[in-house]
Amino acid sequence: MSTAATARTDSARLTSPAPSTPRRAPWLRPVADPGRRRRPRVVYAIVALLGALTIAGAQMALSILTTQGSYEIAALTQQQQELTWQKQILADDIAGLSSPQYLAANASALGMLIAESPSYLRLSDGAVLGTGQAAVGRSSIDALGRGAVGNALITDRPLVTDPKATILGQPTVAAEESVITDTPPPITDGLPTPNTH
């Protein structure tokens, strides 16, 4: 080698730094083919949809059952009120039928009389205490007379012996005759309209 060539190499060495480490590869590099993209699973979507539909159906069923229960409670409450009213009506009827006025009127209609001097029967030996005479004619006490207090529960109630007579001696009104006829006639062909011509 010639001196000129060696001088060039020496000067190149002096001007260029000496590599201390080997040169690294760059951080960015091409990636191999990423492959096909995975499709979402249809099964998961179907399960989620069925779950949502099941929850909605359960809510609707509970709502329907609750509403049905409310209607049944309302119907039973109304039925209980009607039965309470019927119970009160029957209690009033029993009170009227067991009243002294009604019993006295039925006893009179059967021909029973009230004696002025009462007689008593002693059960131990069967002896009759008192005058022991039967009342003849009319009773001395008139249970339905002027001094008696009227009872509205039995004024229209027929007597046991005579179904056509009441406690006051008046004939009873038949059910067909007691219908109120002051009501307007029923509308059969629509609402009535005024005649304007």
Side-chain angles (χ1 to χ4, degrees):
M1 221 180 179
S2 70
T3 48
T6 46
R8 272 192 237 142
T9 27
D10 287 337
S11 70
R13 280 187 197 162
L14 289 177
T15 60
S16 69
S20 61
T21 59
R23 194 167 181 185
R24 291 187 183 180
W27 285 99
L28 297 177
R29 59 186 168 95
V31 178
D33 188 20
R36 292 177 42 187
R37 190 173 188 195
R38 293 177 59 184
R39 291 191 307 176
R41 303 260 174 154
V42 178
V43 176
Y44 297 129
I46 291 174
V47 168
L49 183 62
L50 287 177
L53 290 176
T54 303
I55 291 171
Q59 285 179 341
M60 283 181 23
L62 286 175
S63 176
I64 290 170
L65 290 175
T66 304
T67 305
Q68 183 65 27
S70 298
Y71 284 124
E72 288 176 4
I73 288 172
L76 290 174
T77 303
Q78 182 179 6
Q79 184 180 8
Q80 182 182 11
Q81 286 176 350
E82 290 173 3
L83 290 174
T84 303
W85 293 334
Q86 288 179 1
K87 177 185 169 189
Q88 290 173 353
I89 290 169
L90 291 175
D92 289 345
D93 287 345
I94 290 172
L97 293 176
S98 64
S99 68
Q101 293 98 340
Y102 190 71
L103 294 175
N106 280 312
S108 271
L110 289 171
M112 295 183 171
L113 302 173
I114 298 173
E116 288 188 26
S117 60
S119 299
Y120 299 100
L121 180 63
R122 187 169 48 204
L123 295 177
S124 62
D125 60 356
V128 177
L129 304 174
T131 60
Q133 296 177 358
V136 182
R138 272 186 84 149
S139 293
S140 60
I141 300 172
D142 186 11
L144 303 175
R146 279 190 277 181
V149 177
N151 189 347
L153 295 174
I154 55 173
T155 54
D156 296 333
R157 176 79 55 188
L159 296 177
V160 176
T161 56
D162 188 9
K164 294 181 181 177
T166 62
I167 191 171
L168 301 175
Q170 301 167 352
T172 58
V173 180
E176 296 91 24
E177 296 172 9
S178 66
V179 174
I180 300 173
T181 58
D182 295 343
T183 59
I187 299 172
T188 57
D189 56 345
L191 294 174
T193 56
N195 198 2
T196 57
H197 296 307

